[in-house]
Amino acid sequence: MSTWANLSFQNSASPIMEQLIFFHDHAMMILTMVVMMVLYLMWTLMENKQINRNLLEGNTIEIVWTITPAIILLFIAIPSLRLLYLIDEISNPFITLKTIGHQWYWSYEYTDFNKIEFDSYMIPSNESQANNLRLLNVDNHTVLPSNVYIRVMVTAADVLHSWAMPSLGIKVDGTPGRLNQTSTMINRVGLFFGQCSEICGTNHSFMPITVESVTIMSFLN
Amino acid sequence: MSGSVVAKLPKPQLKGLLAASIKFHLPIAIFVSIASGIAFKFLVCEPRKQRYAEFYKNYDIDKEFERMKQAGVFQSVRPD
């Protein structure tokens, strides 16, 4: 989860989020290069002794400053597309989690082995303990095994919702009448938090998600 | 007038001033850009990748699970 003054991504808990963070670093590197070049050129614009006020065009430099940004964009687009297709790769999931968004809570179904269904409501601030995380803790955690592929199917029962888990790099819209699917693998054990990410009414900010990642043996038991 | 030799100043450049300025400053701008990119890569990108590699190289999932279980973090398993 984020702590105060956190500006960057949360530490990743899935391989996809790791790759997203590395891609973000790559894009920031290109951004830094462009900004430093522009800053230097702006400085030279101020600190020069040119006095010609009648310049209108310069064919060569106009071609250069059209082609160069296109090449720079290629360096951003190619890794981006690689990652996009990596996210959409079909895996062989061990388990399927069905997530249904309601106003204003999430309900989950595990139907692979036993038929387990439960609702997950936020614990209100006035009922939470001192060691609880305000606005993030829920009454029933979503327990998932670590180091296996998990298929998550997201839908909604009433209005648009969105199931988001920043540390897993997941944000999937829950649309009424539609099933959206994503796949993830959780690298480590622990608690991971997310919040509804599509405006859905008064308590849109108060329907968090808590995923409890446990070892596969513990999950099966 | 006096008969002494008057030194002449060299003729200043009168044309192509902008092109000359661009030819001087553009390589410097490209160098600044590449240097900042390399600095960002080796000060930010590579250390982050190393930190992730180090973390997962020595990560013992069962030990971490036991530690968190005993701390009472999980709902599905309670501490011993």
Side-chain angles (χ1 to χ4, degrees):
Chain A
M1 49 153 265
S2 284
T3 49
W4 67 273
N6 233 5
L7 294 176
S8 53
F9 295 118
Q10 296 179 25
N11 288 332
S12 80
S14 78
I16 292 292
M17 188 58 198
E18 242 176 77
Q19 290 298 311
L20 282 165
I21 291 171
F22 297 154
F23 172 72
H24 178 262
D25 284 344
H26 168 77
M28 282 301 288
M29 177 186 78
I30 292 178
L31 200 68
T32 305
M33 288 169 76
V34 169
V35 165
M36 290 305 288
M37 183 171 192
V38 168
L39 280 176
Y40 175 78
L41 291 173
M42 280 168 69
W43 179 76
T44 61
L45 269 176
M46 291 188 284
E47 301 286 326
N48 71 71
K49 295 184 176 62
Q50 308 290 342
I51 53 171
N52 187 350
R53 293 184 297 126
N54 299 321
L55 279 173
L56 291 175
E57 57 181 1
N59 207 13
T60 311
I61 195 165
E62 286 180 11
I63 291 172
V64 166
W65 70 35
T66 306
I67 302 286
T68 306
I71 295 171
I72 290 172
L73 286 174
L74 270 180
F75 278 94
I76 299 177
I78 291 172
S80 165
L81 287 170
R82 179 195 78 95
L83 191 48
L84 188 67
Y85 282 91
L86 192 69
I87 290 169
D88 265 348
E89 259 193 16
I90 308 287
S91 54
N92 211 7
F94 171 78
I95 191 170
T96 298
L97 171 73
K98 292 174 199 167
T99 303
I100 302 123
H102 304 261
Q103 279 177 314
W104 287 281
Y105 62 97
W106 294 95
S107 65
Y108 300 99
E109 294 176 14
Y110 301 75
T111 49
D112 288 315
F113 311 114
N114 307 327
K115 197 165 181 308
I116 300 172
E117 295 176 12
F118 60 92
D119 297 336
S120 181
Y121 280 84
M122 183 187 86
I123 296 175
S125 304
N126 54 359
E127 290 173 29
S128 67
Q129 312 290 326
N131 62 345
N132 277 1
L133 297 166
R134 188 180 69 91
L135 305 184
L136 286 177
N137 268 122
V138 297
D139 52 2
N140 297 316
H141 294 177
T142 308
V143 183
L144 290 172
S146 56
N147 283 332
V148 292
Y149 279 111
I150 301 160
R151 177 197 280 126
V152 183
M153 319 264 315
V154 184
T155 186
D158 34 44
V159 297
L160 288 177
H161 297 273
S162 185
W163 199 78
M165 294 288 309
S167 46
L168 301 179
I170 295 178
K171 188 175 290 181
V172 181
D173 279 2
T175 305
R178 182 184 169 86
L179 270 179
N180 284 330
Q181 176 181 303
T182 188
S183 170
T184 188
M185 181 167 88
I186 312 178
N187 273 353
R188 46 193 181 98
V189 292
L191 291 183
F192 304 106
F193 300 94
Q195 292 175 288
C196 179
S197 297
E198 185 67 42
I199 186 78
C200 54
T202 317
N203 286 347
H204 154 69
S205 312
F206 307 113
M207 44 183 295
I209 301 140
T210 302
V211 162
E212 186 176 299
S213 170
V214 296
T215 56
I216 189 161
M217 292 313 297
S218 170
F219 181 80
L220 290 171
N221 288 341
Chain B
M1 299 298 291
S2 90
S4 61
V5 175
V6 177
K8 283 191 173 176
L9 286 172
K11 184 174 175 185
Q13 186 183 359
L14 299 171
K15 293 182 183 177
L17 289 160
L18 181 60
S21 172
I22 288 174
K23 276 191 197 133
F24 178 75
H25 285 294
L26 195 57
I28 299 176
I30 291 170
F31 173 76
V32 163
S33 164
I34 291 176
S36 59
I38 291 174
F40 190 93
K41 185 176 167 74
F42 287 102
L43 291 174
V44 176
C45 304
E46 290 303 315
R48 199 194 302 277
K49 285 185 180 155
Q50 291 307 316
R51 281 199 299 272
Y52 270 95
E54 276 303 311
F55 176 82
Y56 282 109
K57 196 168 74 165
N58 301 320
Y59 184 66
D60 185 342
I61 200 168
D62 294 313
K63 185 170 148 210
E64 284 301 305
F65 176 71
E66 273 310 308
R67 184 181 68 82
M68 290 184 191
K69 184 175 116 177
Q70 297 310 325
V73 160
F74 297 128
Q75 259 183 9
S76 56
V77 284
R78 300 312 298 162
D80 296 332

